Amino acid sequence: PDVRSADADGNVVGGEQAMVIDSKGCVVWAAGRPLAVVGMTDMDVGDSGDAVLVLPKHKSQDVRKVVDALKASKRQRYI
C-alpha cells in the first residue's frame, strides 16, 4: 500500500475524491466518490465505495468490534 505523508495540519489523505477542510490530525480515504471532512480533529474516516467508517483515532482498536458486528449480522461482504 501507499505510504502517504501528512500535510501541515497532520492530515493524511488518500484517494482522489477525498477533501479535508479545517481539520487536524485526520486520516481520510475515499474510494470512488467524493468524501469531505470538515472541522474534525483526530478522526479516521474511510469510504471503500460500499461502506463508510468514521471513528476517533483513540478508538481505532475498536474496528474489530465493527467487523464482529458485521459478521454477526451476516454482512460479511462489507469486510
Side-chain angles (χ1 to χ4, degrees):
D2 289 346
V3 176
R4 299 186 183 268
S5 299
D7 66 14
D9 290 318
N11 300 303
V12 178
V13 182
E16 294 179 17
Q17 300 294 333
M19 292 180 265
V20 178
I21 300 167
D22 296 331
S23 297
K24 295 184 184 307
C26 294
V27 175
V28 180
W29 175 259
R33 60 184 170 186
L35 172 64
V37 172
V38 181
M40 299 183 93
T41 301
D42 295 329
M43 298 292 287
D44 291 335
V45 182
D47 180 352
S48 66
D50 59 357
V52 176
L53 179 66
V54 179
L55 68 156
K57 279 188 174 181
H58 73 274
K59 292 291 220 170
S60 61
Q61 71 279 359
D62 290 342
V63 170
R64 170 54 58 194
K65 293 178 183 178
V66 176
V67 171
D68 292 343
L70 288 168
K71 286 179 181 177
S73 62
K74 301 189 183 340
R75 293 185 266 182
Q76 291 92 334
R77 67 184 177 135
Y78 298 112
I79 298 173

